Structure formats: structure tokens, C-alpha cells
């Protein structure tokens, strides 16, 4: 890149002014004259046949324009068919609205469209649906029990996906081992809970036969493709315009059935139709996540060397597949060996359908993997009476081991788990902890320390998606346009939901052009404007998008310098560079400014093209696409010190340190913010969040009062140690990040609490570690509360 | 039920509106007055995104009916930045990266601005308790706390 | 979620409000702070045909000292109690515990009367009323009457108020000279309802032994109640052994149930631990005033 510049700097965000002053433009802020409002009628049962739907009373209610169910909507749309050619994965088909049966409490059945939401909800109460309740399965075990009722009648059983894998010879290693250590882990069902719920505004232009679709969505172009296909429109008849998004975290990627229904209705009614999901709907019926369980067996020597691993992983996927159900296998199982040199590895991953809201990727869908491996390492240490850091040292990859191809054929290079671990434990005085823990116990206090070494998979390239059977490519696309005045517009196929792209990517483009980031304006979210990219997911934004922008900016800079050379009567631009908004020339070993400004060259390119070098067209813009390697890795070590109150089961986080290497950082301030947010989300899952279903598939805690999102009192301060090293496989050197925090928190808290529990001879294996759960573990060994 | 006429005073301006009694203040501000800075996150009074001031005191707009606010003064986020200049707290939030997606931000600004006017202590535990009524899913709260501390220190410095 | 339609009434006096309640009977609900009622209306769990807005009844918004008691009007906001210097002097447990209700914005609107009338078994006001033996004044078409707190709270979300009565005020006895107080609650997050809460007052005699002792418990599926069993420990030194025994007595006397929030076993353990801690705090505060 040209010279030193804004890359990495803590530039304050351009986005902030509108958000701070309440002048952001989120979906519900968009005015649409004559727009109608939708409300959905949802199944109160977890599993039931739809016997009869009578819309008469609802249709006659005040303000109602229409009321429709699957009978109508399914004719206006094509079903979702998910049939990637993956062995062990069953194809599934989902109609837009169910007509035969409902599969979970909250399943949308009917849509009411009225002149306002209040009236729509009134009318929704007048929809008469006769349900014939069916037995429901509300757990993985119930779903796979013999004779279990089928969630999807088209499948032979509720086991929608089953993959196995073996590398090396684990059986032989297990036979050779001195010990076999087994550990179990489980996460409850969680949900993303962005503060802005889902919604859509669809505007059909009958004259132009064109749909303009506003939707807070992380992947504008794939959404457009899917929406057009489902509506049986040409892609050129659909424009997706994504407004400011109030948080996504993976919930705002799929084309959900409600949003599709709204779009179909707008076309049918020839009037704008809008929908805002309310919070009860969001908790009950948008997208759930996690609810996975694992059993890991480790073959080890007495000195703590891990010879082989065998993983059994199970996920409760809910009732509908808006994503291929095997994606969990691809990532959790594929990256389980983490930072360790373990070549003999087998896994068995099963995913079952149940009568609950379907799962979707929630920031770090693979989060449990870190807790599994790091929790097992800690257990190995406990069982063998070794120091947990020593066991890590014994098995961890060092710089000299890289590049390293894992048992699942992932290439690890430019990662520094060992370095981050050593630094983090130094920071918390790990060596002194045992002493501090013993001293505290004398005072009746129970401390615990836990590590989690994270190797975070990010930025998945095309090769990954193909292998995973997930529709779509892994590339990202960008354009950079310099206007005649020297102002710069840029675009990329991503969509922000808080990541600060308008600032960080201005820094990338400005760095490439040698100008001030204030001069660069980013345009994202409009599919007519932005180039076709795969959008924001999987921690790919900075790396995939940043790289595409970097390449486009570099192409523009190359052209600028060619023009500059021409204007300066030089044979070649090799001694020129862009810096400080002007062209500089290398004279006698030092860079000297010329009289050519960036703006002057832009004007020439558009308005005085006869002065351009032969062969160069007028104008100053470039369009590039970038396809990253199948996987890119960043890494971190989280260390967490907790205090456990055994009398009440309450856990307090006393200290939390993160040492992280996420490659070249575009904006250090933004990266830290991502680390805070991801780790906070992980703490939510580790200590607080669980959707509580009963055996009949009824959700018992579906409000914000009882689904426990952590507040400012529950999240500690995070001490962050930056240890970034560049990624040689990427044009900007970046590595992707922003999910690793979740992985680290789950593992570090898991290990810290178990370190504190070790004194009582019990082990916590199920998150969240609620006070009630920990008391249940402690009740046995702790006979008298007064002793503690 | 049919609509009733009310006069609402919002950000120092009087507005004559026709609303159903059941229309929530949050919806009235956004739809009838086009003040969309007040956001709706839950409609059950937990997330705090809809925080406004009623007679200068923070209140959840989703738990108020517009009709009951007649005769009282409402202040929304739009009134905080005077003439396009960020308030000291808004400036501190900007400097400390106390926001990401921005959806919870107006509610947080309204909560903190009210508190900062009351000779606040500069004590992190109290600040976190103050913030506990505003949920944020993006930031992990740390930078928001830093912003409040910064603004409080600056206010102290000015007052001294 | 949007509420169902209702007719809105805005009385200017208590008598007007009572007349409206009488006129509309079961179809009417009074609206005070709205922090509990409006969420229920927004989710359509509550759908009154008539909503009677009490917020203009300034006559019910007061904090007064009257001899040995403090009187608090039903429409007094939690925040006013939290910030009342008079109460910090006369009955400091009130402002300190009220500060733990929900969050700032909730306390700005929520009212004392509303909380008492709702009778949420996990809430602070009913617990305080039971602990201190408050008297709750009701106003109705048949005039005013006052009930002892123990008689007022009849069950979970159930009080002795008739459908045409409103809570108009509550009076608390002042804490005695040298009387300390304690309040310990277990919540999952800051501001949540307590799973179990223990509130206590204590005085010490000249030797530093427990003299006066009151303990009340909330959270367990029943209205809050005094743990009378602990009075057996009067005369004992407030040391670790005594307090541990106190905790056990309180737990043994309570009969919590399993529910979706917590198991009976867990609640029982919390009662034991929090009772001991609340009384410890009360004794320390008592000692500090000596």
C-alpha cells in the first residue's frame, strides 16, 4: 500500500452522528405512504394438524384489507428447497406458510393486513383456526426415541443430518493410551436478540413491475437472489435496500417466511406492505441457536500428551431448516482440534429436528468447540494431576510447526496461539494464582481461574461453502470511484449492523489512495448500487470486504500514477506514490511532493481525457472481487478469574483478560468494540441465557423479563492485549475476527468455574451456569451451608 | 374505540393530535410526530430503547399512552444535540466508541443525560447500575461506561 | 404487541376515581405507574374496557411524618421514596430497599400504591410492609379503612381490597433508636425480581446481644411473611453460630414450592443463607448506631 496511513488507526466513526442524535434510518423509520401493516397469527401448539381455517370474521374487522394463509401465499411463491449434495444430510422443503400442520409454537399460519398494526392485531384475534394437537418432541432424545412423531413428515426420521469422519487411526491410539479421559458439555437453547427485531417493507411498482424491498439484512445480494426466485421474478425486477440495522448477529440473513409473505402481499395488493416483528415473536419464532451437546473422549499418555480425540456432537435444530442442518458439523467438528497437534481424530455429528423454532447461525455458531477442547484439556490436567498450562504447552502448535494441516485438512498458518497464551497468563500472574486461591480459601472465598485458547475460523472462501453444501460463493466484491472533484465513493457487497464499515473501509480505501478517510464515502446495502457480494456473516467483513476494496483502490491508484507519470513527462510511474492527497516523487532517496494533487488528476481523467496516456480510458474507477482461502484463522487466549459463592451458586467475574491476534487491524478501536461485544455475548450464554421449553414444546420464558440478556451490571471490563501479526494470504494482512470472543468466553468461564468447583469434587457441564444449577451440583458435597 | 383529540407538548412544541386512547406514546412520537429517534425494542418495558423524558424524568415511552401525557412535557433524543452540535455526553460516546449499531443509543443517551445533570458521582458501580435499565447487545457496555465517566469528569471539571 | 382498545378516564380527584371504579366494576382497571399494568396490556394479558388514570390525583402523592409513623401516599413514585431525606432519617430501610426496584426509569413512574395493590410475591413493597407491620389505607365508596399488612396480602397477586377500592396510602412505623436493618435478595441480574429476599430489623441490648428482631421473607410462591421462628434467638449474641442457626430456623419454617423459576430446595437454601446475612447486616447497623 502507499506509505503509512490510516490503517489501524483509532479513527472515530462516521456513523456516530446520526445514531447519537436519533437520526439513523432503520426500517421502521422509513415512511411509505399508503403502506399497510401486517400481523401474523401463530400456532399456540408445538405440533398440530391444521384442520380448518376460517378467515371470515377477521376479514370483516375494521381496517382490514386482506387476510391470507398458506392456501393463497403458497400459490404466489415458490417453496424453499434445501438439497445440497451432502452425504448424511436429508433434503428439506419448506412451504411459505404451512397448510397441513404446524411444527412449533409460534409457527406463522395466517397473515392479517390492515391500515395499522393495532387494528391488524385486533383482527388477528378473530381468525378462527381449528387445530388438532399432535404429540410433540421437545428434546434431542425425545426426537430420536423409537416411535417418535415426525417433525417433518417427508423425512424418514427426525435425524435430519448425520455425519461421521475419521482421520488417522484413533482406535489404535485409544488402545495405546495410558488413560482415556471423557468430558461432556452442553449449551441450552439461545437466541440472538438484536435490540431491533425483524421486519420488512415491500413496495411493488405495478407500472414498472418492480419490487423495492427494505429489510434489515446482512446479505443484500443473496437475499435479492432468493427473494426473486421465491417470488418467481427476475432478479432485475427486485431491488433490495437495506436500511441501518439495529443488530444482526446472524439472525438477519435468511429470507424468513414472514418477510416473504409481506413481499408477496405487496405485489398482490399493489400497495406497500410493512411488518415489524414484536419482541414476543422474536423470542418465540424468529431464529434460535446453540442447544448442542458434546461428549469428547481423549486418549492421553500419563504425561498429558493427547494421542487422539473422539467427538460425539448433537444439536437440537428445531422444526425448520432455513440453513443446511449440517453446517454445525462443518465448523465445530472441523476446527475442534484448535491449537493442538492432534492427527488422530474422529467425529460423529447428529442433528435432530424438534418441535421448536428453527435454528440459525448465531454469532459464533461454532462457539461450543472451544469449550469442548479447552474444557477437556483442563479435565485431562485435573485427572492426571498436571498443570493445565503445562498440558497445553505439551500439545500446542508452535510457530515452528506452521504451516500445519489439521486432521480435517484445514491449513493453519500465521496463527499465534502459543504466544497469546504465554502473554495472557503472564498478565494475570498465573504462576501466583494457586497461592492466591489457597489464601482466599483460608478466608472462605472460592476463586477459580480458567483459560481458553481460541483458534477462530473466519472469512470462509468459496471452497469452504461448496464443501459445506451451503448455497453461495465466498467471494466479496467492491468498487471504488473517484469523482471529478476528487471525492471518492466506494461500495462493497457487505451490510453493516454495527461493525463500523463506513469508517474502517474508508480507512482502507484512503490508505490505498493516499488521501484522508474523510474524503471517502461508503455506499452499502442497495443491490442496485453495490456489487454482488456474499454479505456479512462468519466474521468475513473486514477480511473479505476490506481486501476487495483494497484491490480496487490499488487499481485506481495504479491508474492515477500512470496518469501522473504522463503529466510529469516520466516514462514510468515506478518512482511515484500517493500520499497526503498528492503525488510524491522519489528524488535522491527521499519522497518529495509534486504539484499534482489527487483532485487534479481526477478532474483530468474525466474532463481532459486527451491528456491521458495512450490506452487509458477516461474516468477513474475500478471494480474488483476477492475470493479468500477456504478458511482464515485468527486466534486469542482468554483468561478469566471468577469467584464462586458456593452457598448461593452465584459466580462473579473478577478479572477478564484477552490476548488476541487478528492480523492487520483496520481500526483498532472498532476491533476492540467487537471483542467486547462478542465476549459479552459469550458471557450471556455461559451464565444467563436459556430458552426454557417444557416437554410439550411450550416456551416458558418468552419475554425479555425472563430470557436473561446481561445488563451492564453483569458484564465486566475486559483487558485487551493486542498481539496482531499479519496474514500472508490476504492482501491487507487481516484475518477476520468478532466471533472469537464468544468462543473464548464460553471456554474461559467454563474452565474458571470448574477450577473453583474442583475443590468440591464436582464438575459443571451444562451452560448457563445458573445459581440453581451450581447449587444442584454442590448440594451433595456441601452438607452445611453454615460452613461456607 | 374512536380517536380523541389531545395536545401534546414535545421538545417544547405543542401538537394537536387525534389518537386512540390505547395508542402508545412510543408509536405516537414515531408515527404522528415523525420523531423516529425513539426506538422500540420490546414494548414490555425491559430494554429501555424507548426511553424519553416526561417532565424531565426518564420514562419508557412504550409503557405510556399518549393520552395520559397531555399536560406534561415530553423530551426526546432529537432535542439533545442543540443545533446539530453533540452534547458533552454524546461527544464522549463518540470518542469512546460507546455505540455500534446505534439502536439502543438514543435510550442510553436519554438515561445518561438525565443523570449527568444531577451532580453525579464518578463511581463505576453506580454508573453500571444506572445503565442496567438499557440493554445493549453490541458493545458489552464497557465503552459506554467509559463515556459516562468521561462526561462526568468533564462536567466536574467545568463545575469546579 | 399493541394493547386492546379501552375507554380512557382521567379523574382529577380521588372521589371521581372511585365513582368511575364503581360505575365500571370489573371492566375497569386503575392506572398508576403503569410499569406492571401496561406490559400486561401490551401483551393483551390484561384488557380492561375502561382505564382509570390516577396520575392526576396529586392528593395521593406525599411523604409525611406523623408522630411515630411515616405516611406515604399511594401515588408517590419509588424515586421520591428513594431520595427522601425524611425517610432516610425516620425509616432508612425504605429508601435503601426501594432503590433496588427495577431500574431508574421504572422507579420514576412506578408508585408505592401500585406495587402494594399488585401484590407481587417477589416485590419489595409488600415485603417491607409485612416486615415493619405497615398499615395500608384503602379508599372506597363506603369510606376509608386501614388494614394491617398481614391482613391486606391474601395471596399471590391477591389483596383484601374490594374491586371498588383503591389503595390510598400506607403508613410505616419509624425504626426505633438504635434499630438496624438489613435486606438481602438473590436476583439473576441487577434489577430483576428476587428469587428470594430477606428483610430484617434488629436492636441490641447493652451487652450487644440480640434484643428486638424481625425477619420477613419473600419469594416462594406465597405472599411475604414474617419468620416468627427466629424470635427464639433473642438474647443471643449475634455471632456466626447464632446466625447460622437463625438461617436454619427460617428455612425450616418456610415452605417454598417448586416452580418454573426455582426449585423448592434452592429457595430453601437461599432462605437459610439470606436470612442469616440480612440479620447480620441489621445487627451491624444496630451496633454502629450505639
Amino acid at each position: 500500500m502507499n506509505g503509512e496511513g490510516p490503517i489501524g488507526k483509532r479513527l472515530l466513526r462516521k456513523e456516530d452522528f446520526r445514531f447519537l442524535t436519533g437520526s439513523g434510518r432503520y426500517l421502521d423509520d422509513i415512511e411509505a405512504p399508503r403502506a399497510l401493516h401486517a400481523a401474523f397469527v401463530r400456532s399456540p401448539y408445538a405440533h398440530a394438524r391444521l384442520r380448518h381455517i376460517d378467515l371470515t370474521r377477521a376479514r370483516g374487522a375494521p381496517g382490514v384489507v386482506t387476510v391470507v394463509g398458506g392456501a393463497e401465499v403458497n400459490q404466489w411463491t415458490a417453496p424453499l428447497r434445501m438439497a445440497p449434495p451432502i452425504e448424511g444430510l436429508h433434503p428439506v422443503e419448506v412451504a411459505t406458510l404451512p397448510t397441513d400442520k404446524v411444527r412449533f409454537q409460534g409457527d406463522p399460519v395466517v397473515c392479517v393486513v390492515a391500515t395499522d398494526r393495532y387494528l391488524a392485531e385486533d383482527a388477528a384475534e378473530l381468525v378462527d383456526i381449528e387445530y388438532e394437537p399432535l404429540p410433540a418432541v421437545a428434546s434431542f432424545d425425545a426426537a430420536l426415541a423409537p416411535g417418535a412423531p415426525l417433525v417433518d413428515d417427508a423425512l424418514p426420521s427426525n435425524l435430519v443430518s448425520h455425519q461421521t469422519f475419521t482421520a488417522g487411526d484413533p482406535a489404535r491410539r485409544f488402545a495405546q493410551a495410558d488413560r482415556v479421559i471423557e468430558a461432556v458439555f452442553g449449551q441450552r437453547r439461545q437466541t440472538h436478540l438484536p435490540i431491533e427485531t425483524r421486519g420488512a417493507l415491500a413496495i411493488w411498482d405495478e407500472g414498472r413491475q418492480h419490487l423495492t424491498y427494505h429489510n434489515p439484512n446482512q446479505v443484500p445480494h443473496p437475499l435479492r437472489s432468493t427473494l426473486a426466485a421465491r417470488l418467481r421474478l427476475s432478479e432485475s425486477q427486485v431491488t433490495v435496500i437495506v436500511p441501518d440495522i439495529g443488530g444482526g448477529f446472524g439472525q438477519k440473513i435468511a429470507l424468513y417466511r414472514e418477510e416473504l409473505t409481506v413481499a408477496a402481499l405487496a405485489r398482490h395488493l399493489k400497495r406497500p406492505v410493512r411488518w415489524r416483528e414484536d419482541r414476543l415473536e422474536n423470542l418465540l419464532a424468529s431464529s434460535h441457536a446453540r442447544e448442542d451437546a458434546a461428549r469428547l473422549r481423549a486418549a492421553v499418555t500419563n504425561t498429558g500428551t493427547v494421542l487422539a480425540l473422539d467427538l460425539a456432537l448433537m444439536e437440537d435444530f428445531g422444526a425448520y431448516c432455513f440453513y443446511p442442518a449440517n453446517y454445525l458439523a462443518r465448523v465445530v467438528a472441523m476446527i475442534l482440534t484448535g491449537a493442538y497437534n492432534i492427527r488422530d481424530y474422529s467425529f460423529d455429528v447428529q442433528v435432530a429436528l424438534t418441535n421448536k423454532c428453527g435454528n440459525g447461525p448465531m454469532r459464533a455458531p461454532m462457539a461450543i468447540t472451544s469449550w469442548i477442547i479447552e474444557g477437556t484439556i483442563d479435565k485431562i490436567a485435573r485427572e492426571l494431576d498436571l498443570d493445565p498450562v503445562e498440558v497445553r504447552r505439551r500439545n500446542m502448535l508452535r510457530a515452528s510447526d506452521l504451516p500445519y494441516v489439521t486432521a480435517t485438512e484445514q491449513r493453519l498458518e500465521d496463527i499465534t496461539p502459543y504466544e497469546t497464551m504465554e502473554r495472557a497468563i503472564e498478565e494475570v500472574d498465573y504462576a501466583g494464582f494457586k497461592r492466591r486461591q489457597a489464601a482466599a480459601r483460608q478466608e472462605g472465598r472460592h476463586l477459580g481461574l480458567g483459560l481458553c485458547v481460541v483458534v477462530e475460523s473466519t472469512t470462509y472462501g468459496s471452497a469452504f461453502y461448496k464443501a459445506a453444501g451451503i448455497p453461495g460463493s465466498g467471494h466479496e466484491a467492491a468498487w471504488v470511484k473517484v469523482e471529478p472533484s476528487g471525492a471518492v465513493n466506494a461500495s462493497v457487497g457487505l451490510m453493516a449492523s454495527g461493525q463500523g464499515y463506513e469508517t474502517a473501509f474508508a480507512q482502507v480505501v484512503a490508505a490505498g489512495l493516499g488521501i484522508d478517510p474523510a474524503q471517502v464515502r461508503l455506499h452499502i446495502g442497495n443491490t442496485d448500487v453495490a456489487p454482488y457480494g456474499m454479505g456479512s456473516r462468519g466474521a468475513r467483513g473486514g477480511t473479505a470486504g476490506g481486501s476487495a476494496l483494497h484491490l480496487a483502490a490499488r487499481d485506481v491508484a495504479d491508474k492515477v500514477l500512470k496518469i501522473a507519470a504522463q503529466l510529469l513527462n516520466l516514462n514510468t510511474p515506478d518512482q511515484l506514490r500517493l500520499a497526503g492527497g498528492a503525488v510524491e516523487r522519489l528524488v535522491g532517496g527521499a519522497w518529495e511532493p509534486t504539484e499534482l494533487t489527487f483532485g487534479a488528476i481526477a478532474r483530468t481523467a474525466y474532463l481532459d481525457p486527451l491528456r491521458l496516456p495512450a490506452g487509458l480510458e477516461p474516468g477513474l474507477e475500478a471494480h474488483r472481487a476477492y475470493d479468500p482461502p477456504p478458511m482464515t484463522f485468527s486466534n486469542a487466549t482468554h483468561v478469566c478469574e471468577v469467584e464462586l459463592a458456593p452457598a448461593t451458586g452465584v459466580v462473579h467475574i473478577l478479572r477478564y483478560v484477552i490476548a488476541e491476534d487478528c492480523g492487520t487491524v483496520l481500526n483498532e478501536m472498532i476491533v476492540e468494540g467487537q471483542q467486547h461485544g462478542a465476549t459479552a455475548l459469550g458471557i450471556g450464554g455461559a451464565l444467563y441465557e436459556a430458552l426454557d421449553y417444557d416437554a410439550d414444546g411450550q416456551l416458558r420464558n418468552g419475554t425479555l423479563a425472563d430470557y436473561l440478556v446481561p445488563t451492564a451490571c453483569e458484564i465486566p471490563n475486559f483487558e485487551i492485549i493486542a498481539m496482531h501479526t499479519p496474514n500472508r494470504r490476504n492482501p491487507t494482512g487481516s484475518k477476520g475476527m468478532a466471533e472469537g470472543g464468544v468462543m473464548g468466553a464460553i471456554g474461559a468461564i467454563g474452565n474458571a468455574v470448574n477450577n473453583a468447583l474442583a475443590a468440591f469434587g464436582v464438575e459443571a457441564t451444562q451452560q448457563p451456569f445458573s445459581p440453581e444449577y451450581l447449587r444442584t451440583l454442590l448440594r451433595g458435597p456441601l452438607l452445611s451451608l453454615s460452613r461456607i | 374505540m374512536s380517536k380523541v383529540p389531545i395536545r401534546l407538548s414535545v421538545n417544547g412544541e405543542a401538537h394537536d393530535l387525534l389518537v386512540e386512547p390505547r395508542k402508545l406514546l412510543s408509536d405516537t412520537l414515531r408515527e404522528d410526530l415523525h420523531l423516529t429517534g425513539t426506538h422500540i425494542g420490546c414494548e414490555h418495558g425491559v430494554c429501555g430503547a424507548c426511553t424519553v423524558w416526561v417532565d424531565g424524568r426518564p420514562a419508557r415511552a412504550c409503557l405510556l399512552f399518549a393520552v395520559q401525557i397531555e399536560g406534561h412535557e415530553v423530551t426526546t433524543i432529537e432535542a439533545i444535540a442543540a443545533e446539530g452540535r453533540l452534547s458533552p455526553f454524546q461527544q464522549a460516546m463518540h470518542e469512546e466508541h460507546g455505540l455500534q449499531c446505534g439502536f439502543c443509543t438514543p435510550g442510553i443517551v436519554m438515561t445518561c443525560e438525565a443523570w449527568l445533570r444531577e451532580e453525579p458521582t464518578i463511581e463505576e458501580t453506580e454508573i453500571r447500575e444506572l445503565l442496567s435499565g438499557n440493554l445493549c447487545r453490541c458493545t458489552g457496555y464497557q465503552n459506554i461506561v467509559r463515556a459516562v465517566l468521561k462526561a462526568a469528569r468533564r462536567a466536574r471539571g467545568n463545575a469546579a | 404487541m399493541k394493547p386492546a382498545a379501552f375507554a380512557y378516564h382521567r379523574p382529577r380527584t380521588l372521589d371521581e376515581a372511585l365513582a368511575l371504579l364503581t360505575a365500571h366494576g370489573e371492566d375497569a382497571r386503575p392506572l398508576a405507574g403503569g410499569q406492571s399494568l401496561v406490559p400486561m396490556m401490551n401483551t393483551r394479558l390484561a384488557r380492561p374496557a375502561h382505564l382509570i388514570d390516577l396520575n392526576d390525583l396529586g392528593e395521593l402523592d406525599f411523604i409525611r411524618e406523623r408522630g411515630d409513623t411515616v405516611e406515604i401516599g399511594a401515588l408517590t413514585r419509588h424515586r421520591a421514596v428513594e431520595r427522601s431525606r425524611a425517610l432516610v432519617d425516620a425509616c432508612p430501610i425504605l429508601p435503601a430497599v426501594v432503590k433496588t426496584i427495577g431500574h431508574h426509569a421504572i422507579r420514576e413512574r412506578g408508585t408505592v400504591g401500585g406495587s402494594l395493590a399488585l401484590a407481587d410475591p417477589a416485590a419489595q413493597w409488600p415485603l417491607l410492609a409485612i416486615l415493619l407491620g405497615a398499615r395500608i389505607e384503602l379508599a372506597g365508596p363506603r369510606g376509608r379503612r386501614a388494614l394491617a399488612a398481614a391482613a391486606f396480602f391474601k395471596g399471590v397477586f391477591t389483596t383484601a381490597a374490594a374491586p371498588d377500592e383503591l389503595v390510598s396510602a400506607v403508613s410505616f412505623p419509624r425504626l426505633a433508636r438504635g434499630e438496624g436493618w438489613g435486606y438481602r435478595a438473590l436476583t439473576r441480574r441487577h434489577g430483576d425480581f428476587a428469587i428470594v429476599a430477606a428483610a430484617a430489623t434488629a436492636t441490641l441490648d447493652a451487652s450487644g446481644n440480640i434484643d428486638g428482631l424481625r425477619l420477613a421473607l419473600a419469594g416462594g410462591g406465597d405472599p411475604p411473611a414474617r419468620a416468627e421462628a427466629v424470635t427464639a434467638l433473642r438474647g443471643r449474641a449475634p455471632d456466626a453460630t447464632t446466625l447460622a442457626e437463625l438461617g436454619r430456623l427460617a428455612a425450616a419454617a418456610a415452605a417454598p414450592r417448586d416452580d418454573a423459576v426455582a426449585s423448592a430446595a434452592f429457595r430453601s437454601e437461599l432462605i437459610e443463607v439470606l436470612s442469616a446475612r440480612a440479620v447480620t447486616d441489621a445487627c451491624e447497623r444496630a451496633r454502629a448506631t450505639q
Side-chain angles (χ1 to χ4, degrees), chain A residues 193 475 512 569 641:
Chain A
L193 224 133
H475 82 271
N569 287 313
E641 196 170 311

Side-chain angles (χ1 to χ4, degrees), chain B:
Chain B
M1 287 295 161
S2 51
K3 297 186 178 184
V4 297
I6 59 170
R7 169 166 285 199
L8 278 195
S9 179
V10 181
N11 298 336
E13 274 184 41
H15 300 272
D16 289 311
L17 303 173
L18 211 56
V19 294
E20 281 191 73
R22 63 170 167 171
K23 190 153 191 183
L24 298 169
L25 178 64
S26 39
D27 289 331
T28 305
L29 291 170
R30 293 179 52 80
E31 293 167 15
D32 296 280
L33 298 180
H34 310 288
L35 294 168
T36 56
T38 300
H39 297 151
I40 298 174
C42 74
E43 288 178 324
H44 39 286
V46 176
C47 76
C50 69
T51 304
V52 297
W53 298 344
V54 174
D55 299 330
R57 316 298 321 160
R60 278 126 156 70
C62 72
L63 298 186
L64 291 166
F65 301 106
V67 291
Q68 61 176 131
I69 297 306
E70 191 172 31
H72 298 275
E73 179 65 39
V74 180
T75 312
T76 70
I77 182 69
E78 286 86 351
I80 298 299
E83 282 130 35
R85 286 188 57 231
L86 298 180
S87 73
F89 175 64
Q90 287 170 320
Q91 180 64 26
M93 283 281 275
H94 179 51
E95 291 168 12
E96 295 298 325
H97 188 37
L99 60 149
Q100 292 182 24
C101 83
F103 201 75
C104 74
T105 303
I108 287 193
V109 171
M110 299 311 283
T111 296
C112 294
E113 288 279 348
W115 182 79
L116 282 164
R117 288 175 313 161
E118 287 175 23
E119 296 171 89
T121 58
I122 305 178
E123 213 279 290
E124 182 164 333
T125 310
E126 283 218 33
I127 291 171
R128 285 182 178 271
E129 286 182 6
L130 172 74
L131 286 170
S132 66
N134 290 85
L135 294 182
C136 174
R137 204 55 163 159
C138 292
T139 67
Y141 305 105
Q142 180 164 339
N143 287 349
I144 301 174
V145 173
R146 287 173 60 99
V148 180
L149 282 168
K150 185 177 229 180
R153 279 192 198 108
R154 282 179 177 165
R156 264 245 173 133
N158 290 342

Side-chain angles (χ1 to χ4, degrees), chain A residues 411-702:
Chain A
R411 183 187 175 86
L412 297 177
E413 71 183 332
D414 291 328
I415 58 168
T416 56
Y418 189 84
E419 290 80 354
T420 61
M421 179 179 77
E422 294 296 339
R423 182 71 186 84
I425 62 176
E426 179 196 356
E427 185 66 27
V428 301
D429 183 23
Y430 180 81
F433 177 72
K434 273 218 164 66
R435 206 182 349 102
R436 290 203 304 281
Q437 188 179 44
R441 201 163 302 151
Q442 298 288 352
E443 296 168 20
R445 297 177 56 215
H446 297 264
L447 306 182
L449 187 98
L451 259 74
C452 185
V453 179
V454 177
V455 177
E456 177 189 352
S457 53
T458 78
T459 319
Y460 314 81
S462 297
F464 167 80
Y465 284 108
K466 283 298 162 280
I470 297 175
S473 157
H475 82 271
E476 202 37 68
W479 54 251
V480 172
K481 292 184 201 178
V482 185
E483 308 299 344
S485 61
V488 178
N489 287 311
S491 185
V492 67
L494 305 171
M495 184 57 208
S497 49
Q499 301 92 323
Y501 292 156
E502 292 166 40
T503 306
F505 290 152
Q507 289 172 261
V508 170
V509 174
L513 300 178
I515 58 174
D516 189 328
Q519 243 175 293
V520 180
R521 190 150 201 143
L522 190 75
H523 303 265
I524 49 175
N526 183 326
T527 55
D528 287 350
V529 171
Y532 199 107
M534 299 314 292
S536 296
R537 56 185 299 169
R540 70 191 295 273
T543 307
S547 299
L549 282 163
H550 167 79
L551 294 172
R554 202 175 61 187
D555 284 358
V556 169
D558 286 348
K559 185 166 182 179
V560 169
L561 292 179
K562 283 197 177 100
I563 298 172
Q566 172 81 354
L567 297 178
L568 292 171
N569 287 313
L570 299 171
N571 287 332
T572 150
D574 292 351
Q575 306 291 301
L576 299 177
R577 76 172 187 182
L578 288 169
V583 177
E584 292 184 349
R585 184 176 169 184
L586 195 60
V587 177
W591 290 99
E592 285 182 9
T594 68
E595 80 277 11
L596 282 179
T597 64
F598 183 80
I601 295 181
R603 196 166 47 247
T604 304
Y606 284 92
L607 301 177
D608 203 355
L610 294 180
R611 295 179 69 200
L612 298 180
L616 276 195
E617 292 175 355
L620 201 50
E621 65 181 79
H623 182 137
R624 289 291 291 263
Y626 170 68
D627 201 328
M631 284 241 211
T632 299
F633 294 94
S634 60
N635 64 271
T637 296
H638 288 227
V639 184
C640 167
E641 196 170 311
V642 302
E643 177 162 356
L644 167 69
T648 57
V650 171
V651 173
H652 284 297
I653 300 171
L654 299 178
R655 192 169 179 199
Y656 202 108
V657 171
I658 304 168
E660 180 145 356
D661 176 357
C662 45
T664 300
V665 154
L666 300 181
N667 180 314
E668 190 174 56
M669 180 189 78
I670 288 177
V671 163
E672 281 174 11
Q674 293 299 306
Q675 291 168 309
H676 295 171
T679 310
L681 192 71
I683 291 173
L687 294 176
Y688 299 99
E689 297 179 41
L691 287 164
D692 183 24
Y693 279 88
D694 68 17
D696 296 320
Q698 297 287 304
L699 180 60
R700 297 198 280 196
N701 65 335

